[in-house]
Amino acid sequence: MSEPTASRLLRGADVLADPLVRSLVDARLVCVLATAEADGRIHAVPMWFARDGDALVLATGSRSRKVSNVRQAPIATFLVHDSRPGMEVCGATIRGPVEVVGGPAAARIVELVHSRYVDADARALAPVVEFLASDDVALRLRPEEAFTWDERGSEAARILRAVGGALPLVPTEPR
């Protein structure tokens, strides 16, 4: 019988030191950041991010819902995954305290995040400059714990690869 691989729990410095977490954080992927609303509901949004020392950082607008949520409850969940067709899935859910960073310190972090996703020439184009200017603060998440999963080495993944049995993921069409 081919059972799913159990998720692994990591704590403290082991989170960002873990090879799977490190590969996911170093890849240019989009994460999902989840924060808590005042009424307890979860607000989850896709975001660009970067690693900055022992923290994960995200660029955003000071008037955003996520910033308001973090100011009320300074903890968040950060999910990053690299999912492909079939069982070619791996990822990490990382939890920890979050702080809002403003001023000159935010400008450095915002540039770190933007430069990871948009090349320098494109960042100089007026519409891009205007769009990215809304990111005037940063969020700094310090990982306390993570759950990881990786099914790429499972028997089921190997079989699906061998027989070509995984259906392709289908992206949406741009507007």
Side-chain angles (χ1 to χ4, degrees), residues 83-112:
S83 294
R84 307 296 171 182
M87 276 54 158
E88 304 293 326
V89 296
C90 64
T93 299
I94 301 169
R95 295 188 288 217
V98 181
E99 66 176 304
V100 178
V101 179
R108 181 191 68 78
I109 295 169
V110 167
E111 176 60 22
L112 176 68

Side-chain angles (χ1 to χ4, degrees), residues 88-167:
E88 304 293 326
V89 296
C90 64
T93 299
I94 301 169
R95 295 188 288 217
V98 181
E99 66 176 304
V100 178
V101 179
R108 181 191 68 78
I109 295 169
V110 167
E111 176 60 22
L112 176 68
V113 173
H114 288 175
S115 67
R116 188 164 189 244
Y117 290 88
V118 183
D119 76 33
D121 292 338
R123 287 193 318 273
L125 300 172
V128 177
V129 169
E130 182 180 347
F131 186 90
L132 294 177
S134 67
D135 287 346
D136 60 343
V137 298
L139 299 176
R140 178 181 301 280
L141 184 145
R142 299 207 183 266
E144 286 185 338
E145 67 179 14
F147 291 94
T148 65
W149 63 94
D150 190 349
E151 297 299 336
R152 297 171 297 175
S154 70
E155 180 183 355
R158 285 191 296 273
I159 289 170
L160 282 177
R161 275 193 302 274
V163 302
L167 297 174

Side-chain angles (χ1 to χ4, degrees), residues 7-173:
S7 63
R8 292 181 306 121
L9 172 63
L10 304 167
R11 295 191 187 277
D14 291 342
V15 173
L16 292 179
D18 180 77
L20 175 60
V21 173
R22 200 170 47 249
S23 70
L24 290 163
V25 168
D26 290 347
R28 189 178 304 115
L29 299 170
V30 173
C31 76
V32 174
L33 184 74
T35 58
E37 300 274 354
D39 64 5
R41 290 181 295 163
I42 300 302
H43 174 66
V45 292
M47 296 187 69
W48 293 346
F49 68 94
R51 181 176 177 168
D52 189 22
D54 64 350
L56 299 169
V57 292
L58 308 99
T60 191
S62 57
R63 297 184 333 196
S64 69
R65 176 179 277 168
K66 66 190 103 27
V67 168
S68 174
N69 291 347
V70 165
R71 286 189 169 133
Q72 291 178 38
I75 192 157
T77 298
F78 172 105
L79 178 137
V80 62
H81 68 97
D82 187 8
S83 294
R84 307 296 171 182
M87 276 54 158
E88 304 293 326
V89 296
C90 64
T93 299
I94 301 169
R95 295 188 288 217
V98 181
E99 66 176 304
V100 178
V101 179
R108 181 191 68 78
I109 295 169
V110 167
E111 176 60 22
L112 176 68
V113 173
H114 288 175
S115 67
R116 188 164 189 244
Y117 290 88
V118 183
D119 76 33
D121 292 338
R123 287 193 318 273
L125 300 172
V128 177
V129 169
E130 182 180 347
F131 186 90
L132 294 177
S134 67
D135 287 346
D136 60 343
V137 298
L139 299 176
R140 178 181 301 280
L141 184 145
R142 299 207 183 266
E144 286 185 338
E145 67 179 14
F147 291 94
T148 65
W149 63 94
D150 190 349
E151 297 299 336
R152 297 171 297 175
S154 70
E155 180 183 355
R158 285 191 296 273
I159 289 170
L160 282 177
R161 275 193 302 274
V163 302
L167 297 174
L169 301 177
V170 180
T172 60
E173 293 293 323

